[in-house]
DNA sequence: TTGAAAGCGCTAACAA
DNA sequence: TTGTTAGCGCTTTCAA
């Protein structure tokens, strides 16, 4: 593989001139420039980015760490990131962590060793993660994605408020027995905040928040577990009429389980998701959900990161320059969410639950409180 | 940021010893090793991968180029790739092209400049792309993903056979008027092959293949176009009873359009997809589709690429060594597809349109041949 | 407008 | 077992 020296020789000039011809053509006499370009072409010269990166202060590499791409919400976000860096000559170094905190740590270290100019991260739990503090202390440009931690540089929706609003819609539709279904709660700070929002909405309506129904995402026995859980609740006489799922993918899984259990959505059970996956709108009935602008989240995060990177005088992380160029980049950017009404939410089944009236109405769920 | 020299100084040894301590600890006296490690820790030394990569013959970087992540089929594949490199100490450099041939060319060049050890690519059109030949000529390890070009190093399903089998299922269900719906046909060699497969199945059943209905993926007016097209066909008296969509995403879009047009699936129209997206199974009715093992495609492609890379004596692309270590890596790996029967396919509606035979046989499709 | 030369941080001979 | 040293391919002063 031809290197800059070969080109120089062929063009009859020094390597410095070749470098200039490539990077600052205006500094080179047109004649020389032409000779260099011709030589480069003939030799199929492909500049080695490593050399430049080692020398320079920037690599043009952006590190992206996401939990998984199996959930379109992250893939969408990545599309937004890609869109934002498109044309900037930057490249993406991608790692997924499967929500594993240890992999998070390793992945970040790896990215840093490659000398990425900045990081775009979705952490399992941003607020309690020392990682971000470390990065901050080291002066590594970094934006969190989806994590909403008010004091951190991040781009997200207000998960708590958004969830509350979604649940409020369920309540408005007449539901009182609403249960939140989540993947492993501990795995995601988003889910936790959404659960708080669920609680807010319930209490605001004078209802008692119920414990979340945690269901392992990765277990194949999802349908079974849901059915089993429903049966148990049925026995206890407290079958909910609506389920608020902590994300759309989970909602889809739950809906299938319900179907397998012989329950119709929304006739027997309403379902509300969170994320706003595009496929939700293609379903029938369409999935009611709390929409977060995933692509925009990715795009904004990337834009902020780029601003942060460009804001530094030198490209290298500087431990002392703890003040970003624009201080607002150091704090959360909360994008607007949206409630998407959909066919999966309807009024609860006929027999309504007058509080305090314990009459056993056939086919109806008794009331809580 | 501390470099290897700083560590050496602090540990009271030479940089060579530090390097050894890090990369070949067994070559270093335990005492020294400990000192180095301590020094590295105290200085928060983070080895600069660029230095190593510039020096060495491998970067550990794998270039991945996909059309988009908006289609889960590619995100799934990427998950497979990730899974395959997990634990190998390799990293992924990711680029998406939005099916744009020019971006393909640029992206590859960019990846090559970063000195990736190999490439994993999905091209718009693999068979007629000079790109792969160039790469091959340059000796860059490379595997195509999804593209099925028998003579090329790639991992895919047999799109033609798979499509034929899917369409055969439709025919078996009683359909005769089957139209294939595709995104821009020219944009994807997969779609072309699937159309061939459609033709195969139709002819094998003595039916006349119809022109494909091409519909722009990115146009927002999808629903409208589908309705309009249906209306036209209706006027012509040749309304199809089944649609074979060139991919699942398209199938979902089409189904929505049908719904908006007041047609029920599968009662009024059967729909068959291609890809086997997980969400298809979560729908109701579940999406009938030709399943390709996306994650496995990604995983195998990555594994083959790694084998190819490791097979080379030197890590650098060598123009002459056109023969891979294992010659089979130079040819297609065709993974098995699968027909997923689903609720979107049923027998055609009662009034069938027998070509030439105007008698309306209730409830039965005329027989071919 | 061009060239010579000094590294960027690291690895790997080769010597000691 | 350790150190010295020569680069990997490039950019960028500094001089000419």
């Amino acid at each position: 593989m031809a290197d800059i020296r070969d080109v120089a020789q062929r063009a009859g000039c020094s390597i410095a001139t070749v470098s200039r011809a490539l990077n600052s053509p205006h500094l080179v006499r047109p004649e020389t420039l032409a000779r260099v370009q011709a030589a480069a072409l003939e030799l199929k010269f492909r500049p080695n980015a490593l050399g430049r990166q080692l020398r320079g202060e920037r690599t043009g590499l952006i590190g992206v760490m996401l939990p998984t791409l199996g959930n379109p919400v992250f893939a969408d976000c990545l599309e937004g990131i890609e869109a934002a860096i498109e044309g900037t000559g930057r490249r993406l170094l991608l790692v997924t962590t499967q929500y594993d905190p240890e992999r998070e740590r390793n992945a970040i270290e790896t990215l840093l060793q490659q000398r990425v100019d900045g990081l775009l991260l979705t952490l399992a739990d941003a607020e309690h993660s020392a990682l971000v503090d470390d990065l901050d202390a080291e002066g590594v440009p970094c934006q969190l994605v989806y994590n909403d931690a008010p004091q951190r540089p991040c781009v997200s929706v207000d998960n708590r408020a958004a969830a509350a609003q979604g649940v409020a819609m369920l309540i408005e539709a007449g539901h009182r027995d609403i249960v939140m279904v989540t993947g492993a709660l501990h795995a995601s700070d988003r889910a936790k905040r959404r659960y708080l929002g669920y609680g807010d909405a319930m209490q605001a309506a004078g209802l008692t928040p119920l414990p979340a129904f945690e269901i392992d995402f990765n277990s194949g026995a999802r349908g079974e577990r849901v059915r089993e859980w429903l049966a148990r609740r049925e026995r206890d006489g407290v079958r909910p009429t609506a389920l608020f799922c902590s994300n759309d993918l989970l909602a889809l899984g739950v809906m299938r389980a319900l179907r397998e259990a012989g329950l119709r959505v929304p006739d027997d059970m309403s379902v509300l998701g969170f994320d706003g996956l595009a496929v939700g709108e293609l379903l029938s009935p369409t999935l009611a959900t709390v929409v977060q602008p995933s692509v925009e989240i990715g795009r904004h995060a990337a834009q902020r990161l780029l601003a942060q990177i460009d804001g530094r005088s030198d490209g290298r992380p500087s431990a002392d320059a703890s003040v970003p160029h624009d201080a607002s980049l150091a704090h959360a950017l909360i994008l607007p969410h949206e409630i998407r009404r959909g066919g999966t939410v309807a009024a609860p089944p006929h027999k309504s639950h007058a509080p305090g009236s314990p009459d056993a109405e056939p086919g109806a769920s008794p009331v809580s409180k």
Side-chain angles (χ1 to χ4, degrees), chain A:
Chain A
M1 167 117 293
D3 73 0
I4 199 175
R5 237 168 301 271
D6 301 325
V7 178
Q9 187 171 13
R10 194 131 162 65
C13 66
S14 74
I15 62 168
T17 299
V18 175
S19 177
R20 282 190 209 100
L22 266 33
N23 303 307
S24 328
H26 59 278
L27 293 181
V28 168
R29 189 157 50 100
E31 258 182 74
T32 324
L33 181 56
R35 281 207 325 278
V36 171
Q37 288 172 335
L41 215 60
E42 287 161 20
L43 275 72
K44 300 197 185 197
F45 172 60
R46 176 149 41 224
N48 185 330
L50 297 172
R52 177 208 308 261
Q53 289 163 356
L54 183 56
R55 182 77 227 285
E57 54 201 8
R58 298 249 228 275
T59 56
L61 261 25
I62 303 289
V64 177
M65 186 180 89
L66 296 171
T68 172
L69 295 171
N71 188 335
V73 94
F74 296 115
D76 287 348
C77 163
L78 192 48
E79 287 256 301
I81 294 172
E82 273 256 333
I85 65 160
E86 156 78 3
T88 67
R90 260 121 173 168
R91 277 125 295 149
L92 255 33
L93 217 44
L94 174 75
V95 186
T96 64
T97 61
Q98 312 300 329
Y99 295 95
D100 177 345
E102 189 181 326
R103 286 179 69 167
E104 286 184 356
R105 178 130 234 150
N106 289 338
I108 292 180
E109 180 58 26
T110 291
L111 295 174
L112 256 20
Q113 291 190 4
Q114 192 69 42
R115 295 306 189 261
V116 293
D117 292 337
L119 291 169
L120 256 15
L121 312 172
T122 295
L123 297 173
D125 189 333
E127 228 143 3
H128 308 99
S129 172
L131 280 174
V132 195
D133 296 316
D134 294 353
L135 292 173
D136 204 49
E138 296 193 50
V140 181
C142 171
Q143 291 282 329
L144 298 176
V145 186
Y146 286 116
N147 298 107
D148 70 317
Q151 302 303 351
R152 297 203 185 280
C154 65
V155 179
S156 72
V157 294
D158 183 338
N159 283 281
R160 183 167 183 167
Q165 204 174 324
V167 173
M169 179 197 73
L170 290 175
I171 295 173
E172 222 174 277
H175 295 276
R176 299 180 52 85
D177 302 302
I178 305 170
V179 169
M180 177 157 171
V181 186
T182 74
L185 247 191
H186 60 270
S188 149
D189 54 2
R190 276 87 64 206
K192 277 183 211 145
R193 297 194 143 254
R194 290 171 198 165
Y195 183 66
L196 290 178
Y198 156 83
D200 295 345
M202 293 295 277
Q203 289 182 326
L207 300 172
T208 311
L210 271 34
F213 172 35
E214 287 195 45
I215 185 168
D216 183 9
F217 238 121
N218 308 313
S219 129
R222 218 150 38 179
E224 218 168 276
R225 279 214 52 203
V226 168
R227 246 173 295 150
E228 187 181 289
W229 176 79
L230 274 174
R232 203 164 340 119
R233 305 241 73 185
E234 199 95 50
R235 270 199 302 280
D236 299 353
V238 288
R239 221 209 64 201
T241 62
L243 301 177
F244 169 42
C245 302
S246 72
N247 68 59
D248 281 357
L249 223 46
L250 188 56
L252 295 181
V254 164
M255 283 170 65
R256 170 153 77 164
L258 291 173
R259 206 182 318 140
E260 289 170 359
L263 289 176
R264 290 158 309 163
V265 173
D267 312 73
D268 301 317
M269 180 79 82
S270 285
V271 172
L272 173 67
F274 197 114
D275 277 348
L277 296 191
V279 336
E281 287 194 291
L282 300 177
L283 308 189
S284 114
T286 60
L287 177 62
T289 188
V290 181
V291 182
Q292 48 181 343
S294 294
V295 177
E296 286 310 307
I297 286 179
R299 192 196 307 272
H300 275 99
Q303 278 167 349
R304 281 162 57 101
L305 183 68
L306 295 186
Q308 215 174 326
I309 292 170
D310 293 340
R312 302 174 176 282
S313 40
D314 64 328
R316 286 290 175 213
S318 55
D320 60 341
S322 48
V323 188
H325 188 243
D326 180 349
S328 73
L329 298 178
H331 294 97
L333 169 63
I334 303 298
L335 297 183
H337 59 269
E338 192 180 296
I339 305 295
R340 180 188 294 161
R341 289 166 189 286
T344 58
V345 168
H350 291 328
K351 304 305 158 45
S352 68
H353 332 278
S357 68
D359 21 42
E361 301 153 288
S365 318
V367 178
S368 62
K369 176 97 176 261

